[in-house]
Amino acid sequence: CVTDLHGRIDRVICMNCRSTTSRSSLQGRLKSANDGFIERVLQGGGKQRPDGDYQFDGDYQFNVCTCLECGGTLKPDVVFFGDVSHAFRGALQLSPADPKLLRHCF
């Protein structure tokens, strides 16, 4: 059993209903919703940075995809600074005598 202490970058989670989906599925939806976006950015003088982001000036329309279940906001299924860790969230559901709790401490 593997516990993902800080989540998984290959999934996205809805901040409203907590449903998850694969990052690759969201990527396909984003690409369909923003057909030709990267090409327009590059034609306008934008550059791809080493980290994969694009740097550009100007205004470009970008359509953000929402949760298919409830229409909520999606984010990577990872723990950001200030978030409650997945392991801690799971540990809250265990009794102090449960041996599984020990795994969440290390």
Side-chain angles (χ1 to χ4, degrees):
C1 172
V2 175
T3 300
D4 299 311
L5 292 176
H6 295 98
R8 293 182 47 174
I9 197 68
D10 64 333
R11 288 191 312 224
V12 293
I13 189 166
C14 175
M15 294 175 66
N16 185 45
C17 73
R18 311 292 299 160
S19 72
T20 59
T21 187
S22 72
R23 177 69 176 94
S24 61
S25 172
L26 176 61
Q27 186 66 30
R29 291 177 54 214
L30 286 168
K31 190 171 183 171
S32 294
N34 296 285
D35 190 37
F37 178 80
I38 298 298
E39 292 78 11
R40 288 191 300 278
V41 165
L42 293 174
Q43 288 171 356
K47 305 274 188 242
Q48 185 176 15
R49 296 171 30 160
D51 64 1
D53 286 348
Y54 284 82
Q55 182 175 359
F56 55 89
D57 294 322
D59 293 326
Y60 295 89
Q61 172 143 357
F62 185 84
N63 299 304
V64 177
C65 296
T66 58
C67 176
L68 293 173
E69 299 292 322
C70 74
T73 302
L74 300 172
K75 75 172 197 87
D77 189 14
V78 296
V79 176
F80 288 109
F81 182 79
D83 285 349
V84 175
S85 78
H86 293 72
F88 183 73
R89 204 176 288 132
L92 290 175
Q93 299 170 2
L94 301 173
S95 85
D98 193 318
K100 287 183 259 174
L101 184 59
L102 187 59
R103 276 189 276 172
H104 291 286
C105 297
F106 298 97

